[in-house]
Amino acid sequence: MGDEKTLELTPMHRRLASALEGKSYRWIARTTGIHPETVRRYMHGQSPSIEFVTCICGHLRINPQWLLTGEGPMRGDDVRAHHLAEADPAELLAAIAATLDRLSERVDRLELFVQQLETRISSVAPAITTSEDPQGDGSGPDADAAGRIGAAVAERPRPDDD
């Protein structure tokens, strides 16, 4: 009886018990892949392994920061809303500005890609028309497709047209 040391429950162990309330050691063991006896020891004060904590947080969507330190919301799904509610307006504006800069750079790269594609298509379309139209009268099998490609490129609105 006196062989087993009585471990004091830390605040983290109390949070772990709160997160796992109503769950049996057997269920926790199946969920985490940890032996039920090991789960029992963790729940009674032994320091849990990082694998155990990671599995619990992942399967139950628990915020690891909350579990380990008590800071932030308990549920991982609530972390974003919590940070937004706690954020300074200047921080929010800086984050929005950074996001807009990244989006602008992506749009610029996309426009460059589309322009390069247009150049390639316009250089290939005449070659398709002439190679598939031996009579030169525009009636070859790919002449219609080349015409549709050229029309689509010509109809595409350009940013400079605004």
Side-chain angles (χ1 to χ4, degrees):
M1 232 170 26
D3 292 346
E4 189 173 324
K5 261 203 283 189
T6 305
L7 297 173
E8 185 177 326
L9 291 181
T10 65
M12 186 205 61
H13 284 93
R14 286 192 283 280
R15 287 188 296 275
L16 185 61
S18 174
L20 295 170
E21 188 173 12
K23 309 284 191 249
S24 70
Y25 295 156
R26 197 167 292 204
W27 181 91
I28 297 167
R30 272 194 318 268
T31 302
T32 61
I34 304 289
H35 192 275
E37 177 57 25
T38 305
V39 170
R40 187 193 67 74
R41 286 195 309 263
Y42 290 163
M43 298 303 292
H44 286 276
Q46 181 178 336
S47 293
S49 69
I50 191 68
E51 292 83 8
F52 178 78
V53 171
T54 301
C55 285
I56 290 298
C57 291
H59 288 307
L60 296 177
R61 302 175 76 105
I62 301 296
N63 174 8
Q65 183 180 9
W66 172 81
L67 184 59
L68 297 173
T69 68
E71 295 175 10
M74 176 178 161
R75 298 282 167 209
D77 297 339
D78 299 334
V79 170
R80 180 178 229 156
H82 174 76
H83 285 302
L84 285 173
E86 298 291 318
D88 178 81
E91 291 173 342
L92 289 175
L93 288 174
I96 290 170
T99 300
L100 288 173
D101 284 343
R102 284 193 309 274
L103 285 174
S104 177
E105 289 170 7
R106 291 181 77 181
V107 167
D108 289 345
R109 287 194 312 264
L110 187 58
E111 285 181 348
L112 179 63
F113 174 74
V114 168
Q115 289 170 356
Q116 290 171 347
L117 241 137
E118 288 173 345
T119 303
R120 288 181 182 169
I121 289 172
S122 64
S123 68
V124 170
I128 291 174
T129 305
T130 56
S131 69
E132 296 297 327
D133 187 15
Q135 291 84 17
D137 62 359
S139 63
D142 284 341
D144 203 29
R148 286 194 308 271
I149 291 171
V153 169
E155 291 174 10
R156 185 183 159 277
R158 302 208 184 277
D160 301 346
D161 294 344
D162 293 337

